[in-house]
Amino acid sequence: MRKALKWILAAVAVLILILAAYVTYVFTAYYRLEDHLVLTPEPAASEHTAQPEQTGQPTQFVPVGENLTVTSWNIGFGAYTDQFSFFMDGGDYSRGFSEEIVKETVESIGTQLADFGSDFNLVQEVDVDSTRSYHIDEKALLLEALPSQNAVFAQNYDSPYLFWPLIKPHGKSKSGLLTLSDYEITSAARRSLPIQDGFAKFIDLDRCYSSSRIPTTNGKELVLYNVHLSAYATDPTIADQQLSVLYEDMTAEYNAGNYVVCGGDFNKDLLGDSSAIFGVSMEGGNWAKSFPFDSVPDGFSIVAPYNPDHPVPSSRNADAPWDPETNYQLTIDGFLISDNVECLTADTVDLQFAYSDHNPVQLTFRLKY
């Protein structure tokens, strides 16, 4: 008995040491990028094709008074096929089904974006070196699919190795936001957003948005924001703080006379009550609260992609594979625009969540004179 007890105590001691070492690693490996980080725009790999013929201006200037399109898409790190469910949402999987499937999914997303032919693309959850996506450089795959667009990449987070679930751990994730433009991006920056303190920061990770400055034909600038707000924050004030930082930045650009278009995943219900529109409620309560429309500053408006004749959700809950009859559906992806930008149309592309737990959303707009 004594010998058995010694072995048990030794095993417990080893487990405690391993756990202590892991906790120490997680806390020491965690870091946040500095705020106001300057980003380096990457020129298009092939010759530019966008040409504002009416103005006769060079291609690096965005034409004023003409129709333009921007697509925003959270690609779910290439793992979320329509059969995928995610462990942090109550589902079964912590990684993509296989390296081949993740690569094929991202390549299909690149093909879709190329087929859309939008002037601008805002892409979220683009992994560049993550366990969950088999260390595939998804940014490189997207740039290969869209060689005529200029690019800016902003790292969102570079997380320590998450050793959960034990059988197939989620692992280490390095991911970010990719902004693509037919027109030359002259400068860009990454802004750090407020996040929770303590252990919660390891769940929601780092958060940021990027801003990309693009000259227009009337001497002003289009400032394009790519944003992915917190999803797993337990403190409801964090979302308000994140929006406050974004609003302050955008308002300064608007007051300077520039055009502002912000798109991305807001992780808030942009339709107010999506369950009433799409007919499926979520058991245990809705995790995506209604967007705080009253918080939008003067001079700006929220644009929720919505067609009343054919309502299409932009996101599904990933607790189970896609089933339109049982999956909770909502619209959390959309746009914020300044009132010198005219919204012409805004809608969600119905891809039945074939490549991500998000459908792409699109805005057709015009810069006012």
Side-chain angles (χ1 to χ4, degrees):
M1 283 293 292
R2 287 183 179 178
K3 186 176 290 187
L5 183 59
K6 286 182 179 180
W7 278 109
I8 291 172
L9 291 175
V12 171
V14 169
L15 287 175
I16 291 174
L17 286 173
I18 291 174
L19 180 60
Y22 175 69
V23 171
T24 301
Y25 153 74
V26 168
F27 274 90
T28 55
Y30 179 86
Y31 72 98
R32 295 200 71 187
L33 293 174
E34 63 185 270
D35 197 7
H36 297 282
L37 184 66
V38 175
L39 304 175
T40 302
E42 301 177 36
S46 66
E47 185 177 352
H48 226 298
T49 57
Q51 180 64 51
E53 297 177 352
Q54 296 92 322
T55 64
Q57 294 287 343
T59 57
Q60 65 263 33
F61 295 109
V62 180
V64 174
E66 298 182 18
N67 291 4
L68 299 162
T69 304
V70 56
T71 294
S72 177
W73 198 354
N74 181 331
I75 66 169
F77 58 91
Y80 289 80
T81 66
D82 55 1
Q83 294 303 304
F84 186 83
S85 62
F86 190 48
F87 79 106
M88 289 185 71
D89 293 330
D92 297 325
Y93 304 102
S94 58
R95 306 179 186 180
F97 290 137
S98 70
E99 182 176 357
E100 292 74 20
I101 289 176
V102 170
K103 186 172 184 291
E104 289 173 3
T105 300
V106 177
E107 288 175 340
S108 296
I109 289 169
T111 299
Q112 286 286 338
L113 289 172
D115 289 344
F116 292 155
S118 297
D119 301 277
F120 311 98
N121 290 297
L122 306 173
V123 193
Q124 301 88 41
E125 283 205 57
V126 179
D127 280 5
V128 292
D129 186 13
S130 301
T131 310
R132 63 190 186 181
S133 52
Y134 303 93
H135 303 283
I136 294 170
D137 187 346
E138 297 177 353
K139 171 193 164 189
L141 292 179
L142 294 175
L143 293 182
E144 184 178 342
L146 298 153
S148 66
Q149 292 201 309
N150 302 279
V152 164
F153 182 78
Q155 178 185 304
N156 204 4
Y157 47 80
D158 181 7
S159 73
Y161 196 98
L162 177 61
F163 218 103
W164 190 263
L166 291 176
I167 301 301
K168 185 178 278 190
H170 188 60
K172 184 176 175 61
S173 301
K174 189 172 184 179
S175 188
L177 314 172
L178 181 63
T179 299
L180 299 162
S181 169
D182 277 350
Y183 303 91
E184 181 183 358
I185 301 171
T186 55
S187 64
R190 178 194 186 277
R191 286 297 314 273
S192 296
L193 287 169
I195 60 170
Q196 288 182 251
D197 295 325
F199 190 77
K201 68 184 180 182
F202 300 111
I203 303 299
D204 200 32
L205 307 176
D206 203 351
R207 289 292 168 185
C208 75
Y209 64 82
S210 68
S211 60
S212 301
R213 311 180 76 87
I214 310 168
T216 63
T217 52
N218 63 352
K220 299 180 181 180
E221 289 181 307
L222 167 63
V223 186
L224 199 60
Y225 289 84
N226 191 346
V227 65
H228 188 185
L229 301 185
S230 287
Y232 298 104
T234 56
D235 181 354
T237 66
I238 294 298
D240 296 334
Q241 294 174 37
Q242 291 181 348
L243 284 172
S244 294
V245 173
L246 180 64
Y247 290 158
E248 182 179 0
D249 199 347
M250 293 194 306
T251 299
E253 294 297 342
Y254 174 66
N255 289 339
N258 293 321
Y259 304 96
V260 175
V261 173
C262 171
D265 180 355
F266 291 88
N267 270 309
K268 290 286 179 289
D269 192 339
L270 299 183
L271 299 179
D273 185 5
S274 287
S275 60
I277 294 171
F278 301 114
V280 182
S281 299
M282 184 175 175
E283 293 185 19
N286 179 10
W287 57 266
K289 305 305 180 184
S290 176
F291 186 88
F293 299 99
D294 292 342
S295 70
V296 178
D298 292 340
F300 290 87
S301 57
I302 190 79
V303 179
Y306 176 63
N307 180 353
D309 297 325
H310 180 56
V312 178
S314 79
S315 181
R316 69 174 178 91
N317 198 49
D319 59 338
W322 168 237
D323 181 346
E325 300 298 322
T326 59
N327 260 165
Y328 178 61
Q329 306 154 50
L330 65 167
T331 291
I332 57 177
D333 306 88
F335 304 92
L336 265 169
I337 60 173
S338 53
D339 63 10
N340 52 2
V341 176
E342 180 184 1
C343 170
L344 302 175
T345 62
D347 205 356
T348 304
V349 182
D350 191 359
L351 296 182
Q352 288 293 304
F353 303 107
Y355 311 112
S356 173
D357 59 329
H358 293 250
N359 283 318
V361 295
Q362 295 182 327
L363 170 71
T364 302
F365 65 97
R366 184 184 296 134
L367 305 183
K368 298 179 183 179
Y369 285 100

